[in-house]
Amino acid sequence: QVCQGSILCNLLISACFPAAMASVSVISNDRLYVSEPDPRMFGNPRNPADVSAVGWTSNNWLTSRFHFSFAEYYNGPGNFGVLRVMNDDLVQADRGFGEHPHRDMEIITFIVHGHLTHRDSMGTEETLGRGSLQFMTAGTGISHEEHNLAKDKPLRFVQSWVVPRKRGLRPNYGSMLAEDNDHTARSDKWAHLVSDEISSARTPVKINQ
């Protein structure tokens, strides 16, 4: 049991565990750990005193729901096979994750709504909208930052970490841009979006696992 909803299931269960697609169980929000870290941890200013005045939908800059043990949460499962992290993040307007490093992990981010602006140490910079996918091979080391630059709308994305088949890979970044009607075409359907780079599956995103 690893899924909060169809978005999460479509993204990674079909990628890493295709045989499990027929037996997915949905875990409701109230069973997930909710993290609301201090905004200064990622280089943000303090939360505004009146969040409604700036169009926020939550009292904290970030509301993150963890499917596995992560950060300050130690009481959940540690992983599901090679799936190490699955966080459902809601980032408020004009906030984000300042530059921070990763290594030896495949990181996949699905944008549920809003726009995610990415910058990394390889010089990549782009903004992705609803239904798009971003992926990184952290490998020997990569630093990146992710922001919601909108002034009045929240950003929601699902970020998952998959353990690669080996350490010390060359860092890489890529993305799948969603078309305007993709969310309608994929509604309530399985979408095989991610697969192993050495597999014969034809998917828009390939990772090292």
Side-chain angles (χ1 to χ4, degrees):
Q1 294 182 332
V2 296
C3 291
Q4 178 189 340
S6 60
I7 291 171
L8 308 187
C9 299
N10 289 352
L11 177 59
L12 274 173
I13 297 304
S14 60
C16 301
F17 309 98
M21 290 173 62
S23 59
V24 170
S25 298
V26 176
I27 295 178
S28 60
N29 276 338
D30 58 7
R31 293 181 59 190
L32 301 178
Y33 179 82
V34 178
S35 175
E36 294 189 325
D38 189 299
R40 293 166 293 181
M41 290 178 61
F42 287 94
N44 294 286
R46 293 179 182 274
N47 296 325
D50 183 1
V51 295
S52 61
V54 292
W56 283 22
T57 59
S58 176
N59 290 325
N60 197 53
W61 75 279
L62 171 67
T63 301
S64 186
R65 291 180 169 85
F66 299 165
H67 287 73
F68 306 105
S69 293
F70 186 76
E72 76 275 18
Y73 177 50
Y74 300 98
N75 295 326
N79 62 286
F80 184 74
V82 296
L83 181 58
R84 173 62 189 87
V85 170
M86 184 176 277
N87 295 346
D88 188 340
D89 291 349
L90 182 67
V91 181
Q92 297 302 315
D94 201 26
R95 294 294 187 271
F97 298 84
E99 185 175 5
H100 58 283
H102 294 284
R103 65 179 302 142
D104 292 321
M105 195 65 66
E106 303 291 289
I107 302 174
I108 307 159
T109 305
F110 180 86
I111 292 84
V112 180
H113 61 71
H115 289 85
L116 175 66
T117 296
H118 165 92
R119 298 185 183 91
D120 64 43
S121 53
M122 298 184 295
T124 310
E125 180 175 345
E126 71 172 343
T127 298
L128 300 170
R130 178 178 180 176
S132 297
L133 268 176
Q134 170 202 102
F135 63 96
M136 288 191 296
T137 294
T140 56
I142 187 172
S143 295
H144 73 122
E145 55 185 272
E146 310 289 340
H147 286 91
N148 176 14
L149 298 182
K151 299 301 182 182
D152 58 355
K153 294 180 180 178
L155 160 69
R156 181 186 172 201
F157 60 85
V158 177
Q159 185 168 98
S160 301
W161 297 9
V162 175
V163 179
R165 70 169 51 83
K166 64 179 181 179
R167 300 170 65 88
L169 295 169
R170 181 179 179 180
N172 183 41
Y173 173 87
S175 60
M176 180 204 78
L177 300 178
E179 301 294 336
D180 290 341
N181 62 347
D182 275 0
H183 66 279
T184 301
R186 295 203 304 249
S187 179
D188 296 324
K189 298 177 182 178
W190 287 104
H192 194 179
L193 303 178
V194 184
S195 64
D196 194 324
E197 68 167 4
I198 64 173
S199 77
S200 59
R202 300 180 63 181
T203 61
V205 173
K206 293 284 191 177
I207 62 173
N208 296 282
Q209 183 56 273

